[in-house]
Amino acid sequence: STQSTWGFSQRRPSSAKMESASRQTLTVKDVSAADFISGYARHLKRTAGFELPKWVDVVKTATFKELAPYDADWFYVRAASVARHIYIRGGVGVGAFKKIYGGRVRRGTRPNHFGTASGKIVRYIMQQLEKLNVIEKDFKGGRRITQNGQRDLDRIASQIGSSRS
């Protein structure tokens, strides 16, 4: 069927085409970031190969922070966020993630400045994701997603998308 809008004719897809489009697999880019990160964090928590460091409960995420994170599963959430970011934009390394997770250093009466986050946390997460074969080192620098990693992240994203609809 055609429909006219301001003199332009638009063709609407048939219902069969719309049904086949809804059955397509969803990717990480099709799911909201918060939903995907929480779902992938739950997946990483169940995964046997992802090991938590022994310092996870005492470490601060940056030098300008006063306390460690309140959430007990914060490490899995950060790892899911790192994996999602590498999926969307490959070639990022530890230095880029230090800037991404950095924040404001409050210096009392003096002006605030930007401070970077801890590099050890990001480096350890990347090493664990490499061990799970989710990411790999890029020859141009930084890390990139592997084929297995892209398949796993897309599978989890499609599960999240199907449960939301």
Side-chain angles (χ1 to χ4, degrees):
S1 68
T2 58
Q3 183 181 14
S4 177
T5 307
W6 293 298
F8 299 104
S9 63
Q10 295 177 341
R11 193 156 187 66
R12 287 189 170 171
S14 66
S15 61
K17 287 182 182 178
M18 291 177 75
E19 287 177 19
S20 66
S22 66
R23 280 185 272 147
Q24 290 177 347
T25 58
L26 296 173
T27 64
V28 174
K29 295 179 181 182
D30 299 329
V31 181
S32 75
D35 292 340
F36 175 78
I37 289 172
S38 64
Y40 192 59
R42 285 192 304 271
H43 171 75
L44 286 175
K45 191 172 181 180
R46 290 189 306 259
T47 304
F50 194 82
E51 300 171 4
L52 286 179
K54 50 189 170 196
W55 42 261
V56 73
D57 55 343
V58 294
V59 71
K60 299 188 306 181
T61 57
T63 57
F64 56 86
K65 298 283 188 179
E66 290 187 9
L67 297 170
Y70 290 124
D71 186 12
D73 297 334
W74 72 270
F75 199 78
Y76 297 110
V77 174
R78 178 66 58 96
S81 173
V82 167
R84 180 184 179 275
H85 194 88
I86 292 174
Y87 178 98
I88 290 175
R89 181 180 181 165
V92 288
V94 175
F97 279 112
K98 285 174 68 171
K99 288 180 191 171
I100 291 167
Y101 296 119
R104 180 176 61 177
V105 181
R106 299 185 64 196
R107 306 184 322 147
T109 59
R110 295 171 298 168
N112 297 333
H113 283 278
F114 181 80
T116 56
S118 171
K120 172 68 176 179
I121 296 170
V122 174
R123 193 175 309 111
Y124 188 86
I125 286 171
M126 287 182 168
Q127 290 167 354
Q128 292 298 310
L129 291 174
E130 281 181 15
K131 200 187 316 182
L132 292 174
N133 198 21
V134 175
I135 63 173
E136 64 187 1
K137 288 188 178 174
D138 194 358
F139 66 93
K140 298 179 196 171
R143 304 295 205 287
R144 68 177 178 194
I145 198 89
T146 62
Q147 285 184 336
N148 290 339
Q150 183 174 356
R151 184 180 63 238
D152 290 345
L153 268 60
D154 285 342
R155 179 179 48 84
I156 291 166
S158 64
Q159 289 173 357
I160 292 168
S162 65
S163 67
R164 293 281 178 215
S165 58

